[in-house]
Amino acid sequence: MTYNKLKFGATIGIIGGGQLGKMMAQSAQKMGYRVIVLDPDNACPTQHVAHQFIHAAYDDEAALNELGEQSDVITYEFENINAEQLKKLTTRFNVPQGYEAIQLLQDRLIEKQSISKAGAHVVPFLQITSEDDLKEAGQRLGYPFIVKTRFGGYDGKGQVLVNSDVAFDEAKTLIAQQECVAEQYLNLKREVSLTVTRGVDGSVVFFPLQENEHRNQILFKTIVPARDDHEVFAREEVKKIMKAIHFVGTFTVEFFVDDNHQLFVNEIAPRPHNSGHYSIEACDYSQFDTHIMAVTGQTLPENIELLKPAVMMNLLGKDLDLLEDEFNLHPEWHVHIYGKTSRKPLRKMGHLTQLTEQIEATEQNLVAYFEGRKS
């Protein structure tokens, strides 16, 4: 099959106007494309860097069709969009990512079943629909274990670590709202992720393995390259997943490494990912560059070159409160502020990346700043 590269001046429609959409749009414009974004928030960050803004809900069929009619290709910046509406769009417009990955990955149970069926290593799990299922999870998975809602939830929302009677009751409340998935709790040595871009022609390019630390289930920092020897195995796991699930564009697979040095697939994000933001400065192509290249039919680079090791730190609202007056004192920090109008303590407001040959020292200094101590 022949795929035609979109010409300069073609229009990319983006569903979702958050920070990922903003950085997609910036890459697209650099390459000479026009951008239209659809989002229900009339103050969303992407509208300020787009040529046109459609203010509408994600499931507004008329607005989505308007986006399609004015776009040469449609992409999306997050997975919580209406899969059925996306499916309808694929029948009328150019949506190279399709709807299947979105539909599958919106359901944690189906996601884990699909990963397991693909032959990749996944954390042992059980479907939870009742209190009896919770008790069985404790027997089969052992205590503690984690309960997560099948649908929705991000940055730690919609999940409970069951390690006490109180937490057991919290889990019962959660399953009264919707079906859940119970996962075995792992003693973690490390969390890593692999960002990948797949072209419409089936070509694949991998970014370096990324080492992540989460705090309160929100990404705190990413170190690249990861201080871990699982990169080759992680790539093989991703290749298995790509045989089972349709991907075009940039996506990220998150992994757990337990204290026995075993690698497990945790979750898949079918779009650019927080842990790949370092690539804007640290690599010869960013994850947003390769995403736009993929969905517009361009030839992907054979390899991604890490120009320099890097530490990336998320900037939450509470971090901006602490650090914003000090940004001008640190030209070594590449600071990105997303442009969200409402600042909340745990809301992602930006990130910063520092390129360094002294990973350990840089990590320690940055963590000291973020913990309110200058070093």
Side-chain angles (χ1 to χ4, degrees):
M1 183 178 295
T2 301
Y3 297 92
N4 295 322
K5 170 187 169 183
L6 293 186
K7 296 180 179 180
F8 300 136
T11 298
I12 300 173
I14 303 175
I15 302 173
Q19 64 265 24
L20 299 179
K22 178 180 179 179
M23 289 181 272
M24 280 184 196
Q26 290 169 327
S27 283
Q29 292 189 2
K30 179 177 66 177
M31 298 178 202
Y33 296 111
R34 298 185 72 260
V35 174
I36 301 177
V37 62
L38 181 150
D39 195 276
D41 180 3
N42 61 9
C44 68
T46 309
Q47 68 154 318
H48 301 295
V49 296
H51 294 86
Q52 186 175 336
F53 174 55
I54 298 175
H55 183 209
Y58 299 126
D59 60 353
D60 185 327
E61 187 169 350
L64 288 167
N65 283 329
E66 179 186 352
L67 179 73
E69 288 164 357
Q70 298 190 52
S71 303
D72 296 291
V73 65
I74 295 176
T75 185
Y76 46 78
E77 67 135 17
F78 75 128
E79 56 268 43
N80 292 322
I81 57 180
N82 187 296
E84 286 304 312
Q85 292 290 0
L86 188 61
K87 182 178 181 180
K88 291 179 181 179
L89 284 183
T90 63
T91 65
R92 295 191 58 195
F93 306 110
N94 180 17
V95 189
Q97 291 162 274
Y99 71 93
E100 296 90 348
I102 285 287
Q103 189 173 58
L104 184 155
L105 298 177
Q106 284 180 343
D107 185 333
R108 280 196 175 95
L109 177 62
I110 301 300
E111 175 185 17
K112 292 182 182 300
Q113 290 173 337
S114 300
I115 294 169
S116 180
K117 186 177 180 180
H121 291 76
V122 65
V123 179
F125 65 94
L126 291 172
Q127 182 177 359
I128 302 293
T129 61
S130 66
E131 182 177 347
D132 287 341
D133 291 339
L134 274 178
K135 294 176 181 177
E136 183 181 356
Q139 296 170 355
R140 294 178 58 181
L141 301 177
Y143 285 92
F145 61 93
I146 300 172
V147 174
K148 299 180 180 180
T149 54
R150 281 185 63 174
F151 303 96
Y154 61 94
D155 289 344
K157 298 177 178 66
Q159 62 180 266
V160 176
L161 175 64
V162 181
N163 57 1
S164 66
D165 290 341
V166 172
F168 191 91
D169 289 339
E170 290 177 4
K172 286 197 296 184
T173 300
L174 201 62
I175 63 173
Q177 299 168 2
Q178 66 164 282
E179 289 188 14
C180 294
V181 176
E183 298 177 8
Q184 186 178 81
Y185 179 81
L186 299 178
N187 291 315
L188 293 185
K189 177 183 178 182
R190 188 164 287 141
E191 296 177 67
V192 297
S193 59
L194 192 62
T195 295
V196 186
T197 305
R198 185 176 184 272
V200 291
D201 61 355
S203 61
V204 177
V205 64
F206 295 94
F207 285 79
L209 189 66
Q210 301 141 189
E211 176 184 334
N212 306 315
E213 179 186 338
H214 290 78
R215 295 190 178 183
N216 299 316
Q217 287 80 49
I218 301 173
L219 184 64
F220 176 63
K221 71 174 185 287
T222 295
I223 293 172
V224 184
R227 295 167 291 193
D228 189 273
D229 59 3
H230 278 106
E231 181 154 7
V232 172
F233 184 65
R235 289 188 179 194
E236 292 304 313
E237 294 288 88
V238 170
K239 289 176 183 177
K240 294 175 187 176
I241 292 168
M242 284 192 292
K243 289 182 179 179
I245 303 174
H246 172 80
F247 288 104
V248 168
T250 295
F251 65 99
T252 293
V253 180
E254 297 180 81
F255 298 91
F256 290 142
V257 181
D258 71 6
D259 55 8
N260 292 317
H261 207 57
Q262 297 294 307
L263 188 78
F264 297 87
V265 176
N266 175 29
E267 293 180 342
I268 303 171
R271 37 71 184 170
H273 190 257
N274 198 168
S275 64
H277 290 347
Y278 72 92
S279 62
I280 296 171
E281 285 84 24
C283 296
D284 54 348
Y285 293 85
S286 79
Q287 64 168 340
F288 302 100
D289 293 338
T290 55
H291 179 77
I292 295 299
M293 293 171 73
V295 299
T296 58
Q298 299 184 54
T299 302
L300 294 177
E302 292 185 5
N303 298 289
I304 298 296
E305 180 181 354
L306 181 66
L307 303 176
K308 199 169 186 178
V311 180
M312 189 279 294
M313 308 289 295
N314 256 343
L315 293 170
L316 306 181
K318 63 184 180 67
D319 300 316
L320 287 189
D321 292 340
L322 175 67
L323 295 172
E324 62 181 330
D325 292 335
E326 301 184 29
F327 290 154
N328 66 322
L329 302 177
H330 294 277
E332 72 276 16
W333 293 354
H334 296 270
V335 178
H336 295 251
I337 303 300
Y338 300 146
K340 297 177 180 178
T341 56
S342 174
R343 181 184 301 189
K344 299 177 183 178
L346 297 181
R347 191 181 193 193
K348 295 173 185 175
M349 303 300 296
H351 72 270
L352 68 82
T353 301
Q354 183 171 342
L355 309 185
T356 179
E357 297 291 355
Q358 306 296 327
I359 283 289
E360 302 290 343
T362 300
E363 177 191 18
Q364 291 173 10
N365 287 337
L366 285 170
V367 170
Y369 263 96
F370 276 68
E371 291 178 344
R373 300 190 306 272
K374 297 182 181 179
S375 58

